[in-house]
């Protein structure tokens, strides 16, 4: 279907009550609430929205993009006012801009940055649950930092993907991977100290970030060593599928950089 106009819209949302981004029957998803908002604003106007990708249940996005196809020319200022007035409280529009009609938000080259926020030890205030995950065990953060560096580069991520098919492209490049102290997301009810795993790459496999976080957690609590991480990234690895998938609520899509 051809639409008269197309725009790129960036939004942010808290994913704690969403069953992921993609629409699913009888479930509350990010895409469902997005389309409800758009169709309320533009009643009786033909439109379609296409998200940049999927996020899992309870995963949040500081920066998410979707392509809006619509038969009406959009006034940008009015769009921002109307969207943020009518959208649910856990979703907000950041920007709308013109794009070429040939642009495809899914296929256009981009770098995504994910961040996984976590703490360990003492149980957190319940209010912190939507933003970061708490691991029970004491963790060796310095060892985990060294482990995170091993993921940088072009590797075989078969062990870091849930149920890859024969067609799944498991060879991927991570351009940045680091564990740092969390100084960005803070609140009075947060633990005194928390950390963030930062990962950047052009594309990620199903549950890849959460499996990396799970492996680093197991490394930090002494279940295996750095050599295990190295071996797990080799194409001829005999290591079985890693089963520790870190909980989703600590994961945030932090940023997307589209190539010019």
């Amino acid at each position: 279907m051809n639409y008269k106009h197309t725009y790129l819209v960036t939004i942010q949302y808290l994913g704690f009550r969403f069953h992921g981004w993609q629409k699913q029957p009888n479930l509350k998803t990010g895409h469902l609430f997005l389309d409800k908002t758009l169709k309320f604003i533009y009643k009786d106007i033909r439109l379609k929205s296409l998200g940049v990708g999927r996020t899992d249940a309870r995963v949040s996005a500081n920066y998410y993009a979707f392509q809006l196809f619509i038969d009406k020319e959009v006034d940008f200022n009015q769009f921002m006012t109307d969207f943020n007035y009518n959208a649910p409280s856990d979703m907000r529009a950041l920007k709308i801009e013109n794009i070429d009609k040939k642009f495809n938000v899914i296929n256009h080259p981009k770098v995504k940055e994910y961040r996984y926020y976590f703490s360990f030890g003492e149980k957190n205030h319940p209010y912190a649950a939507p933003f970061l995950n708490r691991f029970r065990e004491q963790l060796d953060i310095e060892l985990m930092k060294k482990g995170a560096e091993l993921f940088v580069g072009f590797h075989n991520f078969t062990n870091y993907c849930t149920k890859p098919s024969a067609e799944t492209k498991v060879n991927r490049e991570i351009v940045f991977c680091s564990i740092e102290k969390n100084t960005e997301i803070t609140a009075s009810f947060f633990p005194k100290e928390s950390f963030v795993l930062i990962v950047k790459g052009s594309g990620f496999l199903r549950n890849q970030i959460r499996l990396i976080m799970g492996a680093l957690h197991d490394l930090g609590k002494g279940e295996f060593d750095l050599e295990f991480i190295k071996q797990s990234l080799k194409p001829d690895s005999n290591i079985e599928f890693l089963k520790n998938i870190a909980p989703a609520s600590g994961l945030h899509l932090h940023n997307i950089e589209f190539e010019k």
Side-chain angles (χ1 to χ4, degrees), residues 31-81:
H31 200 179
L32 172 68
F33 283 102
L34 171 71
D35 275 359
K36 279 188 174 183
T37 303
L38 292 172
K39 290 174 182 178
F40 180 81
I41 296 171
Y42 298 107
K43 294 182 178 70
D44 302 320
I45 297 173
R46 196 173 64 123
L47 60 82
K48 182 179 78 170
S49 63
L50 179 65
V52 69
R54 304 177 183 181
T55 55
D56 292 338
R58 297 194 171 192
V59 173
S60 298
N62 180 65
Y63 186 106
Y64 186 88
F66 72 89
Q67 196 166 350
L68 173 62
F69 303 89
I70 189 169
D71 280 344
K72 174 186 173 65
E73 186 174 3
V74 172
D75 179 284
F76 289 179
N77 290 332
Q78 192 63 47
F79 174 88
M80 295 296 294
T81 299

Side-chain angles (χ1 to χ4, degrees), residues 24-259:
Q24 302 177 60
N26 304 315
L27 292 176
K28 296 178 179 180
T29 69
H31 200 179
L32 172 68
F33 283 102
L34 171 71
D35 275 359
K36 279 188 174 183
T37 303
L38 292 172
K39 290 174 182 178
F40 180 81
I41 296 171
Y42 298 107
K43 294 182 178 70
D44 302 320
I45 297 173
R46 196 173 64 123
L47 60 82
K48 182 179 78 170
S49 63
L50 179 65
V52 69
R54 304 177 183 181
T55 55
D56 292 338
R58 297 194 171 192
V59 173
S60 298
N62 180 65
Y63 186 106
Y64 186 88
F66 72 89
Q67 196 166 350
L68 173 62
F69 303 89
I70 189 169
D71 280 344
K72 174 186 173 65
E73 186 174 3
V74 172
D75 179 284
F76 289 179
N77 290 332
Q78 192 63 47
F79 174 88
M80 295 296 294
T81 299
D82 291 344
F83 187 95
N84 286 328
Y85 183 82
N86 292 287
S89 59
D90 43 10
M91 181 177 289
R92 180 175 71 155
L94 299 174
K95 185 180 180 181
I96 180 170
E97 57 189 306
N98 287 306
I99 49 171
D100 190 282
K101 286 191 174 183
K102 295 180 181 179
F103 180 89
N104 182 290
V105 72
I106 295 177
N107 297 329
H108 192 85
K110 65 186 76 66
V111 173
K112 292 182 178 181
E113 177 182 338
Y114 280 94
R115 297 192 172 192
Y116 193 99
Y117 295 89
F118 67 96
S119 64
F120 64 90
E122 184 179 351
K123 191 167 186 177
N124 296 331
H125 192 295
Y127 289 3
F131 308 104
L132 80 162
N133 177 54
R134 166 252 182 180
F135 294 111
R136 296 181 182 89
E137 305 84 358
Q138 291 296 312
L139 300 177
D140 185 339
I141 293 295
E142 293 307 312
L143 181 61
M144 292 170 67
K145 288 180 179 180
K146 293 177 181 177
E149 294 174 357
L150 298 177
F151 289 98
V152 177
F154 194 81
H155 301 290
N156 182 293
F157 285 98
T158 300
N159 291 316
Y160 296 90
C161 176
T162 300
K163 297 180 180 179
S165 68
E167 292 74 34
T168 302
K169 296 179 180 178
V170 294
N171 294 306
R172 302 288 177 107
E173 182 182 17
I174 287 180
V175 298
F176 184 88
C177 188
S178 176
I179 289 179
E180 302 172 6
K181 280 192 175 183
N182 167 37
T183 58
E184 183 169 1
I185 298 182
T186 60
S188 60
F189 51 81
F190 265 37
K192 291 181 180 179
E193 188 174 53
S194 58
F195 302 88
V196 56
L197 168 68
I198 303 173
V199 187
K200 297 181 184 180
S202 59
F204 296 97
L205 300 164
R206 184 182 179 190
N207 287 329
Q208 184 178 352
I209 307 297
R210 291 168 62 193
L211 280 163
I212 290 174
M213 184 69 249
L216 291 172
H217 163 261
D218 289 349
L219 174 70
K221 70 176 185 176
E223 287 200 4
F224 45 70
D225 57 15
L226 292 173
E227 186 60 29
F228 181 94
I229 298 289
K230 293 178 183 178
Q231 292 299 320
S232 71
L233 294 167
K234 292 183 177 180
D236 58 351
S237 170
N238 59 3
I239 291 172
E240 294 183 3
F241 171 71
L242 299 171
K243 297 180 180 179
N244 186 0
I245 303 176
S249 58
L251 184 59
H252 302 245
L253 175 55
H254 183 77
N255 193 30
I256 304 172
E257 295 181 7
F258 291 99
E259 290 186 11

